[in-house]
Amino acid sequence: MSTIKDVAARAGVSFTTVSHVLNGTRRVSDEARARVERAVAEMGYAPSAVARALKTSETFIFGVLVPNITNPFFAELTRGIEDRCRQTDYSVFLCNSDDEPDTQSRYLQTLLERRVDGLLLAAAAGEADALVKRLATTRVPTVVVERRIPGLAADLVRVDHDAGARLAVAHLVSLGHQAIACLSGPSRFEVARERTAGWVAGLREAGLDIKPEWMLEGDYSSSAGYDMTRSLLEKGEVTAILAGNDLMAFGALRAAAEMGVSVPQQLSVLGFDGIDMGQYVYPALTSVGYPIRELGETAASVLLERLANPAGETREVVLPPQLVMRASTGPVRGK
């Protein structure tokens, strides 16, 4: 592999001259510049990003830590982050924690060792104290996405989950539904608790019953949505289901189909997050959330702003939820 000294020898100039040409740090004669550029092209020389980082203290890399890259939500979120970073010549180093705090800790250490310029973090479930302590010892700017980390002084970008669940319930009530179940995500997640609280508040605002047996807790997977929906449909009471995310709603659609329950004629199913895949299931999934790629772009923009103003006050950016109307919700039969 060619080095800067090899380029200098080929061009017949000093290696400092090559450095000035590549980095634009000092004026170089047109003749010398031409010789350097020709040598670089002939030798296929690429400057070392590591060496440049050691010299400038900038890597132009953002570390992105997500809990489950197989969940389309986090895939779309990462794509939004990458889209925004590409506009500013930043690269993305993606790590998947599998929702394991120990894995998250190891990847965080890897990102810090690689001297990333900033972190975008959707935290794994579990004890946050160790994560807060580790981040407090580093000066790397950090933006938390969606999953708030108690005790961490960092910018936060999230959707208003409580308002989103209320919006979902109001939509179902407008269609005449009164028996509305909730398939909640894990209660250890603040996001899941907020969505469940919005379901409760929405039912209360509509003057409807809140039956504990209509609130089931799962792990955000399609299989959990499937199992919980079968349990609900066997009792035959509910006419609508609000799922804690779109993956659980997909499971609910499968369970209803297998049990001969027509959606939306006999059962309305409404998801949360608004992932792109929702338009391709059958029937296409009505969902509430926020354009996920825009969420990622917003998070990356907040991190870029933090780099420009490291001493500024931390802030929380709360994005309003939106209802994505598709085919999986409809009026109660006879309404």
Side-chain angles (χ1 to χ4, degrees):
M1 182 179 294
S2 300
T3 68
I4 191 171
K5 291 186 177 180
D6 296 330
V7 173
R10 173 72 69 91
V13 298
S14 68
F15 74 86
T16 56
T17 298
V18 177
S19 177
H20 289 315
V21 170
L22 295 176
N23 298 311
T25 50
R26 197 185 73 186
R27 188 182 182 282
V28 176
S29 71
D30 292 341
E31 180 187 358
R33 177 180 296 278
R35 293 207 306 271
V36 169
E37 291 175 347
R38 184 166 56 250
V40 167
E42 291 173 352
M43 302 178 73
Y45 172 72
S48 168
V50 174
R52 185 185 298 118
L54 291 172
K55 186 174 182 180
T56 65
S57 297
E58 292 179 304
T59 61
F60 285 91
I61 296 173
F62 285 158
V64 178
L65 247 172
V66 299
N68 182 6
I69 198 61
T70 64
N71 184 331
F73 174 86
F74 293 108
E76 292 181 36
L77 178 75
T78 302
R79 178 58 187 272
I81 292 170
E82 188 179 45
D83 287 347
R84 181 67 182 94
C85 288
R86 190 182 297 119
Q87 298 169 6
T88 54
D89 295 327
Y90 276 87
S91 298
V92 168
F93 192 121
L94 175 63
C95 296
N96 172 44
S97 72
D98 276 332
D99 246 331
E100 292 287 344
D102 289 343
T103 302
Q104 177 178 262
S105 179
R106 290 195 298 272
Y107 275 134
L108 178 59
Q109 183 61 32
T110 296
L111 293 172
L112 296 176
E113 288 173 355
R114 290 181 176 271
R115 303 177 59 142
V116 295
D117 291 339
L119 290 169
L120 290 141
L121 175 61
E127 181 57 52
D129 290 349
L131 178 60
V132 172
K133 184 177 180 179
R134 183 66 187 92
L135 289 173
T137 63
T138 177
R139 302 181 68 179
V140 176
T142 300
V143 173
V144 176
V145 188
E146 281 288 74
R147 297 183 176 184
R148 188 193 309 271
I149 303 173
L152 179 64
D155 297 311
L156 171 66
V157 178
R158 67 179 183 89
V159 174
D160 189 335
H161 305 287
D162 182 286
R166 292 175 187 237
L167 182 63
V169 171
H171 169 63
L172 294 170
V173 170
S174 74
L175 295 172
H177 293 281
Q178 297 184 5
I180 303 170
C182 175
L183 308 183
S184 171
S187 57
R188 66 183 183 276
F189 291 141
E190 182 182 23
V191 168
R193 296 195 300 272
E194 289 180 354
R195 293 178 181 181
T196 301
W199 169 74
V200 170
L203 292 178
R204 284 176 175 164
E205 289 166 1
L208 299 178
D209 292 336
I210 302 170
K211 294 187 178 181
E213 61 268 28
W214 289 354
M215 200 290 285
L216 303 179
E217 181 176 328
D219 63 0
Y220 278 142
S221 68
S222 295
S223 60
Y226 173 88
D227 291 338
M228 291 187 290
T229 299
R230 288 193 67 93
S231 175
L232 287 168
L233 294 180
E234 285 169 358
K235 298 174 183 177
E237 295 180 335
V238 301
T239 63
I241 289 175
L242 169 59
N245 73 346
D246 289 342
L247 292 182
M248 287 200 291
F250 294 164
L253 291 176
R254 175 62 182 265
E258 287 188 358
M259 298 179 73
V261 177
S262 178
V263 176
Q265 289 79 11
Q266 295 173 280
L267 175 73
S268 284
V269 177
L270 200 154
F272 213 118
D273 285 338
I275 63 176
D276 187 61
M277 192 184 299
Q279 64 185 305
Y280 298 109
V281 299
Y282 184 82
L285 182 66
T286 299
S287 185
V288 64
Y290 188 86
I292 303 169
R293 284 176 65 167
E294 287 186 33
L295 178 65
E297 291 172 2
T298 299
S301 294
V302 170
L303 182 54
L304 289 166
E305 293 168 13
R306 173 58 57 194
L307 288 175
N309 183 23
E313 291 289 325
T314 58
R315 59 186 176 127
E316 180 174 339
V317 179
V318 182
L319 303 171
Q322 301 172 12
L323 188 65
V324 182
M325 290 293 300
R326 296 193 183 113
S328 66
T329 55
V332 174
R333 179 172 288 185
K335 295 289 183 178

